[in-house]
C-alpha cells in the first residue's frame, strides 16, 4: 500500500481510524474525512505521532451532503492527483425501536448517511478511478446487511442497500479495473457499539456487552484492528479478483441458528 492514495470516511473514530492507522503503517497517503472536526484532528495527531512520515489531508465534511462529498473528492484530486482506494465507512446506528414505533426523522437521517452518503461517495470517486483504470473500493455494510437485527429497521435497510450497491458497482465498473466489495462486521468494539450497549442496558452496559459476547462462537467481540487487516487486503493490489462480495467479519456469528 506504499504511496497509494486512500480516502477514508468516518476516519475520526472506530473502524475508520483503525484502517487509517493500519494504512499509515504501510506508507499510504491518507485523506481523512469526518464531520467531527475535533475528533478528526485528534485522530490525525495520533497517526502522525506513530507514523510521522504519513501524508494526510483532513476534510471536515458530512457525507450526507452531496456537495460536501463532491468537494472532498475534488480536494483529494487537487492534493494527490489520484485515488487508489476508497474506504466508504461513515455510518450511524440511529436509535433503537421496533419498526412501527421508529422515529421517522431518525429513520430519514440514518438513510441519508448510511445509504445516500455511501452512494454519493461511489458516484464521485468511481469516475476518478475509471480515468486511472484502477481502483479498490470497500463499502461498509454490517451483519445487519445480511440479516435482520431487532429494533434497527433503518440501519438494516440501509446496510442491505449498501450490499446491493456493492454488487452494482462491481458489475458496472469491473471492466475499468475497479474492484468493489463490502464488509459486514459483527459486533466490533468501537464507540458506536459501546453506545448500542448503553441503549440495551442503560444501567449496566458492561453486562449487555458480556451477554452479547457470550453468544458469539468465539465468545468475544471483534477488534477494530482485525477489521483493518481485512480492509487493507481488499484495498490492495494483492486482491486481484474478489469483487461484488459482502464479506462477514463476525467470528462466525451470522451463520448461527439457535444457541452456540
Ligand atoms: N462497530 C461495529 O461493530 C460495526 C458493525 C457493523 C457495521 N459497522 C459499520 O462500520 C462503520 C463505522 O462504524 P464504527 O463502529 O467505527 O462507528 P463510530 O461511531 O465509532 O465511528 C464512526 C465515525 O463516522 C463519523 N461519521 C458518522 N456520520 C458521519 C457523516 N454523516 N459524515 C462524516 N462522518 C460521519 C463519526 O463522526 C465517527 O468518527 C459504520 O458504517 C457502521 O455502521 C460497525
Amino acid at each position: 500500500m506504499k504511496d497509494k492514495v486512500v480516502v477514508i470516511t468516518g476516519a475520526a473514530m472506530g473502524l475508520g481510524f483503525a484502517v487509517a492507522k493500519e494504512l499509515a503503517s504501510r506508507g499510504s497517503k491518507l485523506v481523512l474525512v469526518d464531520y467531527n472536526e475535533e475528533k478528526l484532528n485528534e485522530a490525525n495527531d495520533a497517526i502522525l505521532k506513530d507514523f510521522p512520515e504519513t501524508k494526510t489531508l483532513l476534510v471536515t465534511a458530512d457525507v450526507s451532503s452531496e456537495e460536501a462529498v463532491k468537494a472532498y473528492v475534488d480536494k483529494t484530486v487537487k492534493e494527490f492527483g489520484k485515488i487508489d482506494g476508497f474506504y466508504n465507512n461513515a455510518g450511524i446506528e440511529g436509535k433503537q425501536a421496533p419498526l412501527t414505533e421508529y422515529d421517522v426523522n431518525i429513520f430519514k437521517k440514518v438513510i441519508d448517511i448510511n445509504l445516500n452518503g455511501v452512494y454519493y461517495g461511489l458516484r464521485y470517486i468511481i469516475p476518478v478511478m475509471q480515468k486511472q483504470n484502477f481502483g479498490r473500493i470497500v463499502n461498509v455494510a454490517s451483519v445487519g446487511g445480511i440479516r435482520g437485527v431487532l429494533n434497527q429497521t433503518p440501519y438494516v435497510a440501509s446496510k442491505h442497500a449498501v450490499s446491493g450497491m456493492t454488487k452494482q458497482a462491481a458489475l458496472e465498473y469491473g471492466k475499468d479495473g475497479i474492484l468493489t466489495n463490502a464488509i459486514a462486521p459483527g459486533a466490533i468494539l468501537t464507540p458506536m457499539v459501546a453506545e448500542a450497549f448503553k441503549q440495551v442496558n442503560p444501567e449496566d452496559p458492561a453486562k449487555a456487552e458480556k451477554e452479547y459476547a457470550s453468544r458469539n462462537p468465539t465468545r468475544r467481540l471483534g477488534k477494530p484492528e482485525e477489521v483493518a487487516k481485512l480492509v487493507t487486503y481488499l484495498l490492495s493490489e494483492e486482491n486481484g479478483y474478489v469483487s461484488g462480495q459482502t464479506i462477514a467479519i463476525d467470528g462466525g456469528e451470522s451463520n448461527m441458528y439457535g444457541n452456540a
Side-chain angles (χ1 to χ4, degrees):
M1 294 304 291
K2 184 145 174 51
D3 293 328
K4 295 284 187 192
V5 175
V6 182
V7 176
I8 301 171
T9 65
M13 278 188 273
L15 301 183
F17 177 57
V19 168
K21 269 200 303 194
E22 180 66 33
L23 292 175
S25 79
R26 293 163 188 255
S28 304
K29 297 175 181 170
L30 303 177
V31 182
L32 306 175
V33 180
D34 206 288
Y35 63 7
N36 185 333
E37 190 167 16
E38 195 188 328
K39 291 277 179 213
L40 188 61
N41 286 325
E42 283 172 26
N44 187 48
D45 291 347
I47 289 165
L48 294 180
K49 186 164 169 275
D50 288 348
F51 308 103
E53 307 287 292
T54 314
K55 300 259 177 307
T56 59
L57 170 67
L58 306 193
V59 187
T60 305
D62 182 337
V63 300
S64 66
S65 153
E66 185 179 353
E67 281 310 303
V69 172
K70 196 171 176 306
Y72 81 60
V73 175
D74 289 346
K75 278 183 194 160
T76 303
V77 173
K78 199 164 170 230
E79 177 80 15
F80 293 123
K82 62 172 185 167
I83 302 176
D84 300 297
F86 180 30
Y87 184 50
N88 201 0
N89 162 79
I92 60 168
E93 191 200 71
K95 291 271 174 244
Q96 298 193 12
L99 184 147
T100 55
E101 293 159 37
Y102 211 93
D103 181 309
V104 170
N105 287 323
I106 299 177
F107 186 101
K108 288 179 181 165
K109 191 170 175 203
V110 173
I111 297 296
D112 264 353
I113 295 175
N114 292 10
L115 199 168
N116 299 345
V118 166
Y119 171 66
Y120 299 144
L122 295 171
R123 184 178 179 100
Y124 290 103
I125 284 188
I126 286 173
V128 178
M129 291 178 164
Q130 277 181 296
K131 279 189 204 137
Q132 305 161 175
N133 209 25
F134 179 83
R136 295 285 181 271
I137 299 171
V138 177
N139 297 321
V140 182
S142 167
V143 166
I146 303 172
R147 296 186 170 276
V149 182
L150 288 177
N151 298 320
Q152 298 195 21
T153 299
Y155 187 80
V156 166
S158 65
K159 295 300 187 179
H160 276 73
V162 168
S163 184
M165 282 193 290
T166 299
K167 292 175 187 162
Q168 206 59 28
L171 289 182
E172 293 176 359
Y173 303 104
K175 65 179 181 350
D176 301 318
I178 302 170
L179 304 183
T180 305
N181 291 287
I183 57 163
I188 314 293
L189 200 49
T190 65
M192 176 192 275
V193 166
E195 177 57 34
F197 289 131
K198 277 192 211 150
Q199 288 192 46
V200 171
N201 188 344
E203 261 87 67
D204 194 354
K207 188 167 174 235
E209 181 184 328
K210 220 171 146 198
E211 275 170 14
Y212 198 93
S214 75
R215 291 196 293 268
N216 190 284
T218 64
R219 304 288 187 266
R220 68 172 178 88
L221 302 185
K223 299 176 194 159
E225 310 86 72
E226 292 169 327
V227 175
K229 300 269 186 215
L230 171 63
V231 172
T232 300
Y233 169 74
L234 292 171
L235 288 175
S236 74
E237 283 184 62
E238 294 280 295
N239 172 26
Y241 209 50
V242 180
S243 196
Q245 304 305 308
T246 297
I247 300 169
I249 174 159
D250 66 350
E253 193 175 355
S254 56
N255 289 319
M256 197 162 71
Y257 181 70
N259 295 323

